[in-house]
Amino acid sequence: MLRALIFDVDGTLAETEDLHRQAFNGAFADLGLPWSWSPARYADLLTVMGGKERLRHYVETEHAGEAKALGPLMGEIHDRKTRRYGDLVEGGSLALRPGVGRLIAEARAAGLKLAVASTTSRPNVDTLLRINFPEGDVPFDVIACGDEAARKKPAPDVFDLALRRLGVAPSEAVAFEDSAAGIRSALDAGLPVIATRSRYTESHRLDGAFSAVSDLGEPGAPHRHLSGHAWPGGIVTLDALRDWHARITA
């Protein structure tokens, strides 16, 4: 029986990544650092999972001579980035990607459990949910974030953590991801994966996902099928998910 849906956040729940890029650039400017990440540069940096890890990688590879001196500043840069990201989300009312809110509502109405499994920090998740759901209404039963896991994606740790907190087996859940590293993470946790390609993962191979689509689709606005399982009408619905799950577990 399908009992739970587990969602990545950045690029999966919402197209957040460019706001993260802008927030990093704002933090650099705040601290007088002459750095600016273009969209193309940030796309390259996204191969490193986790904002703190991404920043550390950038400093160690692009500013190796200054890495030791910059070390004490890393925490302040990331803290400023997190605050700036929150301000950008609040000010811009960043919407959920197509079909996400609909599928979450269908799952809640049917009594399925819902979880987040993300490398992003908890404040970023909380801000995104606060602007997209009514006050006091948290749709997710479990929120597992990168700082709580020993290893970032593509390791399976954060999905393992979400499954433990949900109290479900991997065979009873489906994961939603947008990146190659995220798909690997979910697969290694034993989860089947639906991939929804996002702005910053256009170049990623989505190998391993049992279905890859442009988004989850909405009535009157079907998604574009990319590979694997095709959904009736170009919409990933709970009924269609249950039908697929029943067939593969029969």
Side-chain angles (χ1 to χ4, degrees):
M1 179 184 296
L2 181 61
R3 298 178 57 201
L5 307 181
I6 307 177
F7 291 85
D8 171 51
V9 174
D10 294 320
T12 301
L13 285 186
E15 289 279 11
T16 59
E17 293 294 8
D18 202 60
L19 294 191
H20 284 296
R21 181 187 69 84
Q22 294 173 43
F24 268 117
N25 286 342
F28 300 154
D30 288 346
L31 295 169
L33 295 166
W35 307 340
S36 181
W37 292 348
S38 68
R41 185 71 184 93
Y42 194 62
D44 292 338
L45 288 168
L46 283 175
T47 59
V48 180
M49 303 301 288
K52 294 175 184 176
E53 291 76 11
R54 198 168 298 134
L55 175 63
R56 188 180 306 116
H57 170 80
Y58 172 75
V59 170
E60 290 174 352
T61 56
E62 301 290 330
H63 301 279
E66 307 166 72
K68 186 174 180 180
L70 288 167
L73 198 59
M74 294 297 96
E76 184 175 356
I77 293 173
H78 194 265
D79 286 347
R80 284 177 178 267
K81 176 263 174 183
T82 298
R83 291 195 296 273
R84 277 184 164 271
Y85 172 82
D87 291 343
L88 287 169
V89 174
E90 295 276 10
S93 298
L94 185 65
L96 299 175
R97 292 192 66 195
V100 169
R102 172 190 52 73
L103 184 58
I104 286 173
E106 291 174 9
R108 295 178 80 184
L112 269 69
K113 295 183 177 182
L114 293 164
V116 157
S118 174
T119 56
T120 198
S121 59
R122 180 63 185 262
N124 294 339
V125 178
D126 290 341
T127 301
L128 180 64
L129 297 182
R130 186 170 62 252
I131 67 164
N132 281 288
F133 294 92
E135 185 175 356
D137 179 20
V138 179
F140 293 98
D141 303 283
V142 164
I143 296 177
C145 292
D147 289 345
E148 301 178 289
R151 298 174 298 171
K152 297 291 195 296
K153 299 174 184 177
D157 299 35
V158 74
F159 279 108
D160 289 338
L161 178 60
L163 287 165
R164 287 198 302 273
R165 290 179 174 175
L166 286 169
V168 303
S171 61
E172 298 174 314
V174 171
F176 295 80
E177 272 286 355
D178 75 305
S179 69
I183 292 169
R184 184 74 266 155
S185 175
L187 290 174
D188 285 354
L191 289 157
V193 187
I194 297 177
T196 57
R197 193 182 291 286
S198 66
R199 172 183 175 181
Y200 273 93
T201 60
E202 283 292 335
S203 64
H204 286 217
R205 294 180 63 89
L206 303 179
D207 298 346
F210 74 86
S211 179
V213 291
S214 60
D215 54 69
L216 298 180
E218 295 281 16
H223 58 229
R224 179 167 47 93
H225 175 258
L226 303 177
S227 63
H229 183 79
W231 303 94
I235 305 173
V236 181
T237 65
L238 181 59
D239 285 344
L241 267 174
R242 281 174 155 169
D243 288 345
W244 171 85
H245 188 266
R247 288 198 300 274
I248 62 105
T249 56

